[in-house]
């Protein structure tokens, strides 16, 4: 039969599908339902995942419009999978621009697509059952045929599509055919920031249903308190008058068994319920039992309330520490499963997240079941985004934002998407908020979607950030929105718009996206956390986003990660898809560890050190509302000696007593690091540090006896001799270029430079044009004068300017080198910055070194990299690291590896040579494999060239990292914009 072009009709989303229903899997008997850990354990489920016959078409439209017969496929493809991950079509990444011409509801005449087919055998006995075929996700639209007969059509990529195929089945071999279209009219409503993948991307399976069966059921948590849980249970069935209900408590004991009628609400009351929360995810098991099927639903009983613009869960104030999660896996692109979801959700708990937003579409039942099990609050979002309208010529940018949202022609499509989202997932207690979608402006379409959600489920909160962009000339009601949700506001904007005058607040405030975690960053989390803690009405923060999206075109052992534009895709958004806290392989970026530390649920609130008894009493506070500190945490104590070095065999495991611990120390102990270890198996979730006495700098081994000093000049250099040591200073740069000890060159680098440039990080987006305009990358020192003074020391004083091509002066600098008769080399700098120039990326020295210098010991913040606005992840102590351990991988090369708070650093070569730098004031350093030019100009990490040198940065300071890749400008407090800068470093060479 002719396949009608349903895919270009806004009024048609589904043809021949069963009505939307709650997600469930029938089991064959009670024991199976109780013990199952996966839907695949059900004997009533026939898994159709696996290899299918496959044929890709650059234009599939003729096979639909002209009723052409599909040829026998010659290829194979796994299901679920995106066909772009298997060599067909091309990967395409776009943030917001539509990837097809804007001509709704029509899609291009050249319409890529694919034909899938496979056989499934059905026995005569099995034909006595009813059979449903379930698709858990197909992008973008698809037709289904069984035994050459048309069954139906569906779209909405992230939704369940269930077809009754019983009338089409025969005994023996049955052919299933699926025709998938890359685009449909739904493409205009699925313009999310992601790689645009296509194909059968979700699980496919048959359900063998009993003739007499439950069709649907819903559980409303009408009122839940610590005394009782009042529920409404509704069961729909066209074939059964009653079913058996069994409820099993979290302890495994039955709490209820009764017969209940179908097709009418049943009130259920559970006395003294054990309530579910992120801290203690207690789950009841509800079983609906019929003669031939058992349906299981885990019950997460909780209450959700807003009182005085404050969020309460189970009567206790709760704040949402959240992250946005796309379905994106390194191996399979958009294809996620129970295993990958579980891995991600456990990592979220390890990083102290208690909430997740399903950006920007619903998940499968596996995801929500795991959130119930692990204890994560969910903002579940509809598959609705039409951000691309902002790029259309006409009104321009945000003035176009409401174009689709205000158009009544999209109302039915919008409501259908809310139904496809809400109805399957309404029984999952972890979902506390429904979101209508993302970045689509506001208008009648979104309002009707939210109204529908409120009517169907009045017991959850409603969210939609785009309400802020509504047309203010239209009197929209805000009753369908329960929170003031915004994205990427600065601290100043949050205070100005909401918290400076809290009396005008009508709803709580949350940032559904903030801290854009692209590349090196995000910075400023401590500031957001402080504001978050300060205002009860500030109920939620959701980092954008979980993990980098990339495609590996290399191997697992030697990956080559690629992003937008690397596949010839247009339009594309470059590397904007690499904006996660985690690498694609789920290794943590430093920003992930920063979040873990900043949002640690336990922190030291006070300590007292009794120097007579050498006992330290430490008091803690926690964010736990439903459990105690003792239930969640034990402590590991690490002790430090006078030089900040960890003392050997020093781990102590302590349990708290009334939020206190007592630690016995001795006189060798100068500091403590208290690590918080989760009793739930999530590992270290934070730390605090105590310095009982200041750590000491290890003084270099200066000469015991003073030696004679001499100085001489050549045309290019100044040479200072001290016994067996010689130092050479360039007259051009004023920098030390050579140090010789015992006739061996410890430092041999004529290319040492003054440096104000850093390889741009993604979060330099809002300042990089100014830095480029100022030609900071080409800046160099021009020495204007020097003077040699000889007493019992030699001082060579310089005056100079940092200048760049075509621009005025950047810095006026007065500096000197001073060498005493015991081998101490002092470098002192006084600099004045030109206020007319942009703030500086950094200020310091850039010194190429022989690759033999591959080991570093430093007293400062470590072991992780740190920046002025991203340093909580590291602690102060003495760290010993190799060049490998100093490295941080950012898939798009950029500045990395900085260490802050340095008082001493020693760089040691494998030839037993050493360069030491100490200071009375904090400075920063990094030792990198790659040059500034390499990091600035190379597009992919795997393309960075192998050099015959390493590169040492010594910095007075560096600007912070922020999150301006998609967020506010870097806070002024974190900009290197000092008018005057003074520092002094002591060098020692051996």
């Amino acid at each position: 039969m002719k396949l009608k072009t349903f895919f270009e009709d806004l009024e048609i989303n589904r043809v021949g599908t069963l009505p939307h229903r709650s997600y469930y899997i029938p089991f064959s008997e009670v024991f199976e339902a109780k013990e199952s850990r996966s839907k695949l354990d059900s004997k009533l489920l026939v898994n159709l995942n696996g290899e299918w016959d496959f044929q890709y078409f650059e234009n599939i439209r003729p096979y639909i419009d002209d009723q052409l017969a599909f040829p026998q496929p010659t290829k194979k493809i796994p299901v679920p999978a995106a066909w772009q991950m298997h060599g067909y079509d091309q990967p395409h990444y776009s943030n917001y621009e539509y990837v097809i011409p804007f001509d709704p509801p029509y899609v291009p005449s050249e319409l890529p697509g694919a034909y899938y087919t496979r056989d499934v055998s059905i026995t005569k006995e099995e034909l006595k059952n009813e059979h449903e075929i379930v698709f858990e996700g197909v992008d973008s639209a698809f037709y289904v045929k069984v035994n050459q007969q048309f069954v139906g059509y569906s779209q909405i990529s992230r939704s369940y599509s269930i077809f009754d195929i019983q009338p089409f089945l025969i005994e023996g071999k049955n052919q299933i055919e699926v025709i998938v279209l890359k685009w449909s009219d739904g493409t205009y409503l699925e313009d999310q920031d992601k790689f645009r993948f296509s194909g059968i991307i979700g699980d496919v399976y048959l359900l063998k249903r009993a003739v007499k069966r439950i069709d649907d059921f819903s559980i409303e948590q009408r009122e839940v308190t610590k005394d009782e849980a009042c529920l409404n249970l509704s069961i729909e069935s066209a074939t059964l008058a009653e079913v058996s209900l069994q409820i099993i408590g979290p302890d495994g004991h039955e709490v209820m068994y009764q017969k209940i009628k179908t097709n009418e609400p049943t009130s259920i009351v559970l006395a003294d319920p054990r309530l579910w929360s992120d801290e203690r995810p207690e789950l009841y098991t509800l079983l609906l039992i019929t003669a031939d099927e058992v349906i299981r639903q885990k019950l997460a009983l909780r209450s959700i309330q807003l009182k005085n613009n404050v969020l309460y869960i189970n009567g206790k104030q709760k704040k949402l520490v959240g992250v946005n999660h796309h379905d994106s896996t390194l191996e399979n692109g958009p294809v996620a499963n129970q295993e990958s979801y579980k891995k991600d959700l456990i990592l979220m708990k390890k990083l102290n997240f208690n909430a997740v937003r399903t950006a920007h579409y619903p998940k499968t039942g596996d995801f929500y079941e795991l959130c119930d099990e692990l204890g994560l609050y969910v903002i579940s979002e509809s598959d609705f985004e039409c951000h691309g309208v902002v790029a259309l010529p006409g009104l321009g940018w945000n003035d176009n934002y409401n174009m689709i949202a205000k158009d009544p022609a999209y109302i039915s499509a919008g409501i259908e998407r809310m139904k496809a989202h809400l109805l399957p997932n309404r029984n999952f207690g972890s979902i506390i908020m429904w979101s209508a979608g993302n970045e689509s402006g506001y208008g009648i379409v979104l309002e009707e979607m939210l109204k529908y959600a409120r009517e169907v489920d009045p017991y959850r909160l409603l969210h939609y950030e785009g309400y802020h962009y509504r047309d203010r000339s239209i009197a929209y009601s805000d009753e369908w929105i329960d929170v003031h949700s915004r994205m990427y506001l600065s601290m100043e904007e949050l205070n100005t718009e909401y918290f400076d005058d809290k009396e005008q607040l009508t709803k709580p405030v949350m940032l559904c996206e903030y801290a854009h975690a692209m590349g090196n960053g995000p910075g400023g989390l401590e500031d957001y956390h402080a504001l978050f803690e300060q205002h009860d009405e500030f109920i939620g923060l959701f980092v954008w986003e979980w993990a980098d999206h990339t495609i590996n075109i290399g191997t697992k052992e030697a990956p080559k990660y690629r992003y937008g534009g690397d596949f010839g895709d247009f339009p594309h958004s470059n590397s904007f898809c690499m904006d996660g806290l985690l690498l694609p392989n789920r290794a943590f970026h430093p920003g992930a560890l920063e979040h873990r530390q900043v949002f640690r649920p336990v922190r030291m609130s006070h300590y007292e050190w009794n120097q007579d008894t050498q006992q330290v009493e430490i008091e803690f506070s926690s964010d736990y509302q439903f459990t105690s500190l003792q239930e969640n945490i034990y402590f590991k104590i690490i002790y430090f000696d006078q030089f900040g070095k960890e003392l050997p065999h020093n781990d102590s495991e302590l349990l708290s007593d009334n939020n206190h611990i007592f630690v016995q120390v001795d006189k060798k102990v100068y500091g403590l690091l208290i690590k918080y270890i989760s009793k739930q198996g999530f590992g270290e979730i934070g730390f605090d540090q105590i310095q009982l006495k200041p750590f000491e700098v290890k003084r270099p081994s200066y000469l015991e006896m003073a030696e004679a000093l001499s100085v001489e000049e050549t045309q290019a250099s100044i040479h200072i001799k001290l016994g067996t040591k010689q130092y050479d200073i360039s007259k051009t740069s004023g920098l030390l270029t050579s140090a010789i000890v015992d006739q061996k060159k410890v430092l041999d680098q004529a290319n040492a430079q003054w440096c104000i440039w850093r390889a741009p990080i993604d979060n330099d987006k809002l300042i990089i044009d100014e830095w480029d305009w100022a030609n900071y990358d080409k800046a160099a020192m021009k020495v204007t004068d020097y003077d040699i003074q000889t007493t019992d020391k030699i001082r060579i004083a310089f005056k100079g300017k940092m200048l760049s091509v075509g621009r005025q002066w950047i810095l006026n600098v007065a500096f000197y080198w001073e060498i005493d008769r015991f081998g101490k080399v002092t470098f002192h700098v006084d600099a004045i910055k030109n206020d007319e120039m942009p703030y500086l990326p950094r200020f310091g020295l850039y010194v190429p070194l022989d690759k033999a210098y591959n080991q570093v010991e430093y007293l400062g913040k470590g072991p992780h990299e740190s920046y002025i606005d991203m340093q909580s992840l590291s602690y102060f102590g003495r760290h010993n690291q190799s060049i490998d351990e100093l490295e941080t991988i950012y898939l798009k090369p950029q500045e990395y590896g900085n260490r802050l708070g340095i008082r001493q650093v020693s760089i040691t070569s494998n030839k037993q040579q050493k360069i030491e730098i100490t200071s009375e004031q904090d400075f920063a350093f990094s030792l990198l494999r790659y040059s500034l030019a390499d990091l600035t100009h190379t597009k992919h990490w795997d393309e960075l060239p192998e050099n015959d040198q390493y590169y040492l940065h010594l910095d007075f300071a560096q600007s912070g990292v922020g999150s301006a890749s998609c967020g506010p400008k870097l806070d002024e407090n974190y900009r290197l914009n000092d008018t005057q800068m003074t520092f002094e470093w002591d060098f020692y060479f051996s």
Side-chain angles (χ1 to χ4, degrees):
M1 66 168 288
K2 177 179 174 63
L3 296 175
K4 295 182 180 179
T5 53
F6 303 125
F7 57 89
E8 292 178 315
D9 187 335
L10 290 174
E11 295 297 321
I12 297 176
N13 287 272
R14 302 157 71 83
V15 176
T17 60
L18 292 173
H20 295 296
R21 72 184 188 207
S22 296
Y23 169 80
Y24 62 84
I25 300 295
F27 292 90
S28 62
E29 43 94 17
V30 170
F31 179 80
E32 184 182 76
K34 285 182 179 179
E35 298 300 317
S36 166
R37 300 297 298 169
S38 164
K39 64 191 174 198
L40 301 180
D41 295 335
S42 172
K43 293 174 185 175
L44 301 181
L45 183 148
V46 179
N47 187 5
L48 298 184
N49 290 349
E51 192 174 75
W52 287 52
D53 294 326
F54 176 82
Q55 197 70 41
Y56 172 74
F57 298 89
E58 290 187 1
N59 185 14
I60 204 168
R61 193 185 281 270
Y63 294 90
I64 298 169
D65 292 347
D66 302 331
Q67 306 179 55
L68 298 181
F70 285 97
Q72 181 62 32
T74 60
K75 308 293 183 182
K76 304 282 188 182
I77 197 169
V79 167
W83 66 57
Q84 289 88 348
M85 298 292 289
H86 291 269
Y88 303 99
D89 200 357
Q90 68 172 19
H92 193 154
Y93 167 62
S94 179
N95 171 14
Y96 61 88
E97 285 194 86
Y98 285 118
V99 298
I100 59 174
F102 186 77
D103 186 27
Y106 305 107
V107 297
S109 299
E110 298 286 318
L111 175 57
Y115 174 69
Y116 297 73
T117 184
R118 66 160 290 165
D119 293 334
V120 60
S121 293
I122 304 291
T123 67
K124 184 177 181 179
E125 185 66 23
E126 288 173 327
L127 277 177
K128 295 177 181 178
N129 295 316
E130 302 285 331
H131 286 79
E132 299 168 352
I133 188 168
V134 181
F135 294 86
E136 291 198 349
V138 181
D139 197 325
S140 157
F142 67 106
Y143 296 85
V144 179
K145 297 170 75 175
V146 173
N147 294 328
Q148 291 82 53
Q149 299 179 77
F150 174 72
V151 175
Y153 164 88
S154 187
Q155 61 185 62
I156 306 177
S157 298
R158 302 297 182 135
S159 70
Y160 291 93
S161 299
I162 306 174
F163 301 89
D164 177 5
I165 60 172
Q166 186 68 19
F168 307 97
L169 295 177
I170 60 174
E171 181 183 350
K173 186 172 69 174
N174 292 264
Q175 183 190 26
I176 299 173
E177 299 171 274
V178 183
I179 300 99
V180 180
L181 314 180
K182 182 175 182 177
W183 301 309
S184 69
D185 57 81
T187 300
Y188 295 102
L189 306 179
E190 296 177 6
D191 190 36
Q192 292 96 344
D193 173 9
K194 60 185 175 67
F195 272 98
R196 310 306 172 94
F197 288 115
S198 314
I200 302 175
I201 58 172
D203 291 340
V204 184
Y205 47 88
L206 293 182
L207 294 178
K208 296 185 285 188
R209 303 302 309 275
V211 174
K212 293 186 176 182
R213 64 184 183 270
I214 293 169
D215 298 317
D216 194 8
F217 73 100
S218 65
I219 304 160
E220 294 178 333
Q221 299 195 29
R222 189 173 72 247
E223 185 175 5
V224 177
T225 69
K226 63 182 178 61
D227 299 317
E228 62 180 17
C230 302
L231 314 177
N232 289 336
L233 173 61
S234 297
I235 299 171
E236 295 179 17
S237 175
T239 54
L240 293 168
E242 65 176 17
V243 303
S244 296
L245 165 69
Q246 184 182 27
I247 299 179
I248 301 167
D251 58 3
H253 293 101
E254 180 180 287
V255 296
M256 180 176 290
Y257 190 96
Q258 67 183 60
K259 297 282 188 180
I260 59 172
K261 293 181 178 180
T262 62
N263 303 315
E264 62 181 55
T266 299
S267 178
I268 296 172
V269 178
L270 298 176
D272 301 318
R274 291 169 62 169
L275 302 184
W276 176 95
S277 69
D278 63 309
E279 299 170 29
R280 185 180 283 144
E282 303 267 27
L283 291 175
Y284 288 76
T285 302
L286 179 145
L287 299 177
L288 300 176
I289 304 166
T290 69
D292 299 301
E293 291 184 351
V294 180
I295 292 174
R296 180 190 71 190
Q297 176 67 48
K298 295 290 187 177
L299 284 182
L301 300 177
R302 79 290 174 271
S303 67
I304 311 161
Q305 292 175 295
L306 292 179
K307 293 188 292 187
N308 299 320
N309 301 323
V310 178
L311 174 65
Y312 292 86
I313 302 292
N314 303 335
K316 299 286 185 70
Q317 184 181 340
K318 199 68 182 179
K319 297 203 171 201
L320 305 178
V321 180
V323 64
N324 287 271
H325 182 272
H326 261 296
D327 285 355
S328 175
T329 64
L330 181 56
E331 299 81 8
N332 300 307
V335 177
N337 55 32
Q338 186 183 49
E339 180 183 357
S340 65
Y341 280 147
K342 188 168 187 176
K343 180 178 180 180
D344 278 355
L345 294 172
I346 288 174
L347 290 175
M348 288 180 197
K349 297 288 282 191
K350 287 176 178 280
L351 295 175
N352 294 325
F353 290 106
N354 69 8
V356 58
R357 177 179 176 225
T358 68
H360 299 294
Y361 36 77
K363 307 292 190 180
T364 66
D366 289 333
F367 181 90
Y368 298 110
E369 285 180 341
L370 287 165
C371 290
D372 284 353
E373 177 186 326
L374 294 169
L376 284 150
Y377 304 110
V378 180
I379 298 179
S380 190
E381 196 149 84
S382 298
D383 192 351
F384 190 97
E385 179 167 343
C386 43
H387 199 177
V389 296
V390 301
L392 303 178
L395 295 176
W397 208 242
N398 278 355
D399 289 334
N400 275 1
Y401 213 174
N402 302 322
M403 178 185 293
I404 286 177
K406 290 171 64 175
D407 188 342
Y410 292 89
I411 290 176
S412 63
I415 291 176
E416 183 66 22
R417 286 171 180 271
M418 181 59 88
K419 286 181 180 178
H421 164 212
L422 186 153
L423 293 177
N425 303 313
R426 56 190 159 169
N427 294 329
F428 295 112
S430 54
I431 299 173
I432 65 168
M433 203 178 295
W434 300 115
S435 177
N438 185 64
E439 293 180 322
S440 299
Y442 194 76
I444 186 65
V445 178
L446 274 303
E447 189 162 77
E448 291 300 319
M449 291 171 68
L450 290 161
K451 280 183 183 179
Y452 171 83
R454 181 74 87 211
E455 290 166 5
V456 173
D457 184 1
Y459 302 107
R460 285 184 173 95
L461 305 179
L462 295 182
H463 167 274
Y464 180 64
E465 179 268 345
Y467 180 75
H468 177 75
Y469 297 98
R470 67 196 181 280
D471 182 344
R472 305 300 170 106
S473 69
I474 299 175
Y476 293 113
S477 170
D478 68 354
E479 64 181 300
W480 318 114
I481 304 284
D482 291 317
V483 291
H484 290 302
S485 180
R486 300 292 301 281
M487 295 180 181
Y488 305 112
L489 294 190
S490 67
M491 315 300 291
E492 181 181 0
E493 289 168 322
L494 280 164
N495 283 320
T496 300
E497 295 189 34
Y498 299 108
F499 301 130
D500 284 348
D501 181 13
K502 288 203 280 190
E503 300 229 345
Q504 50 83 35
L505 269 183
T506 58
K507 302 179 189 298
V509 177
M510 62 176 275
L511 294 182
C512 65
E513 294 179 21
Y514 88 115
H516 198 258
M518 187 175 181
N520 191 335
L525 289 183
E526 285 283 10
D527 296 329
Y528 280 101
H529 178 264
L531 194 68
F532 192 52
E533 290 297 302
Q534 182 181 349
H535 300 290
D536 292 343
E537 300 85 355
F538 197 176
I539 67 165
L541 286 168
F542 288 76
V543 172
W544 185 268
E545 65 168 312
W546 179 241
D548 294 337
H549 307 222
T550 62
I551 295 175
N552 179 15
I553 64 170
T555 64
K556 186 174 182 180
E557 295 73 24
K560 296 180 179 180
Y561 298 112
R562 296 298 180 263
Y563 48 79
D566 287 333
F567 305 97
D569 42 327
F570 178 85
H572 66 81
S573 303
N574 294 298
S575 62
F576 205 67
C577 52
M578 298 198 301
D579 52 0
L581 291 170
L582 277 65
L583 284 156
N585 65 2
R586 279 12 186 204
F588 292 159
H589 282 305
L593 298 176
E594 179 79 355
H595 185 277
R596 182 181 73 178
Q597 176 64 6
V598 171
F599 287 89
R600 63 196 185 278
V602 182
R603 59 191 65 223
M604 180 179 67
S605 56
H606 179 72
Y607 78 90
E608 287 188 13
W609 175 33
N610 187 320
Q611 298 189 46
D612 293 331
T613 63
Q614 290 296 300
Q615 189 177 70
V616 184
E617 180 185 1
I618 310 170
E619 185 176 351
F620 301 93
S621 61
S622 84
D623 295 332
Y624 299 121
Q625 295 282 15
F626 309 109
T627 53
S628 67
L629 184 64
Q630 292 87 342
E631 290 176 81
N632 287 283
I633 296 296
Y634 68 88
F635 303 88
K636 276 195 172 181
I637 311 297
I638 294 174
Y639 305 89
F640 296 92
D641 69 11
Q642 70 189 93
F643 298 113
K645 185 178 179 181
E646 289 186 24
L647 289 164
H649 310 297
N650 55 16
D651 275 3
S652 298
E653 296 185 6
L654 297 173
L655 300 175
S656 69
D657 178 21
N658 296 323
N659 296 346
H660 286 70
I661 60 172
F662 296 88
V663 180
Q664 194 66 44
V665 299
D666 59 35
K667 292 183 179 180
K668 292 185 299 183
V669 175
Y670 275 57
L672 304 172
L673 187 72
I674 305 108
K675 291 186 175 183
Y676 308 126
I677 311 299
S678 165
K679 289 184 179 180
Q680 280 70 45
F682 300 127
E684 180 188 334
I685 58 170
F687 62 83
D688 275 298
Q689 187 171 17
I690 296 172
Q691 257 192 275
L692 301 173
K693 294 174 278 188
F695 296 148
E696 299 175 13
V697 172
K698 290 182 180 177
R699 294 299 170 189
S701 304
Y702 295 121
L703 299 174
E704 294 183 5
M705 300 286 292
E707 296 201 12
L709 270 170
S710 65
V711 59
E712 63 180 48
E713 291 187 65
T714 62
Q715 184 175 358
S717 300
I718 300 168
H719 307 283
I720 301 99
K721 289 186 178 180
L722 174 69
T724 61
K725 300 177 186 285
Q726 178 176 319
Y727 307 105
D728 299 333
I729 296 173
S730 165
K731 290 183 176 179
T732 302
S733 66
L735 295 182
L736 189 69
T737 56
S738 174
I740 300 171
V741 179
D742 297 329
Q743 299 183 334
K744 294 180 181 179
K745 287 190 174 182
V746 179
L747 177 68
D748 181 17
Q749 194 41 257
N751 292 323
Q753 305 170 32
W754 296 83
C755 185
I756 59 172
W757 182 250
R758 72 178 180 197
I761 65 173
D762 292 305
N763 286 316
D764 287 334
K765 177 181 177 180
L766 298 181
I767 187 62
I768 189 60
D769 287 346
E770 293 186 52
W771 288 350
D772 283 341
W773 169 86
N775 292 326
Y776 278 174
D777 60 326
K778 300 174 181 64
M781 177 64 70
K782 177 183 178 181
V783 171
T784 58
D785 191 18
Y786 73 93
D787 178 56
I788 301 174
Q789 302 169 16
T790 304
T791 55
D792 59 336
K793 302 175 182 178
I794 292 177
R795 176 180 288 192
I796 302 105
F798 292 87
K799 291 182 180 178
K801 294 180 180 180
M802 284 293 284
L803 302 169
S804 195
V805 179
R807 302 293 179 263
Q808 65 268 53
W809 66 276
I810 303 165
L811 297 171
N812 269 328
V813 187
F815 61 100
Y816 64 77
W817 293 93
E818 187 173 84
I819 299 95
D820 71 11
R821 296 171 63 194
F822 295 91
K824 181 179 178 182
V825 179
T826 299
F827 180 56
H828 181 95
V829 176
D830 292 299
I832 297 174
K833 178 185 170 292
N834 187 342
D835 289 338
E836 294 180 353
M837 301 300 282
Y839 69 84
L840 302 177
R842 66 173 359 125
F843 179 41
L845 305 184
Y846 174 58
V847 185
L849 293 178
D850 188 281
K851 289 182 77 169
Y853 285 99
N854 59 9
Q855 195 72 30
V856 176
E857 182 182 291
Y858 59 97
L859 178 63
K861 284 211 156 191
H864 309 291
E865 70 178 27
S866 53
Y867 294 83
I868 187 172
D869 59 344
M870 193 183 78
Q871 56 179 297
S872 297
L873 72 164
S874 290
Y875 60 86
F876 187 68
R878 188 166 294 276
H879 306 275
N880 202 316
Q881 293 178 294
S882 67
I883 186 76
D884 292 334
E885 293 167 322
L886 291 167
E887 187 167 86
T888 303
I889 295 175
Y890 295 108
L891 300 181
K892 179 177 176 293
Q894 55 197 277
E895 155 68 29
Y896 74 89
N898 190 64
R899 263 67 178 174
L900 278 183
I902 305 302
R903 291 301 179 90
Q904 181 176 40
V905 59
S906 301
I907 306 102
T908 306
S909 80
N910 54 24
K911 301 174 185 175
Q912 304 306 308
Q913 295 174 318
K914 184 187 290 186
I915 302 170
E916 293 185 62
I917 305 100
T918 62
S919 179
E920 294 298 320
Q921 67 185 92
D922 291 350
F923 65 101
F925 89 93
S926 58
L927 182 65
L928 313 180
R929 291 181 185 277
Y930 306 108
S931 71
L932 262 178
D934 292 340
L935 291 170
T936 298
H937 299 295
T938 305
K939 190 174 181 183
H940 305 103
W941 184 269
D942 60 272
E943 294 171 342
L944 285 165
E946 184 73 22
N947 294 309
D948 57 3
Q949 294 175 313
Y950 292 145
Y951 301 90
L952 173 66
H953 284 278
L954 296 171
D955 286 321
F956 161 75
Q958 187 176 160
S959 283
V961 292
S963 61
S965 52
C966 187
K969 292 180 180 180
L970 183 66
D971 191 290
E972 291 184 4
N973 293 319
Y974 303 130
R975 301 176 189 178
L976 181 51
N977 206 27
D978 304 30
T979 300
Q980 294 185 312
M981 293 173 277
T982 297
F983 60 92
E984 184 172 289
W985 302 333
D986 292 333
F987 288 79
Y988 180 74
F989 302 91
S990 61

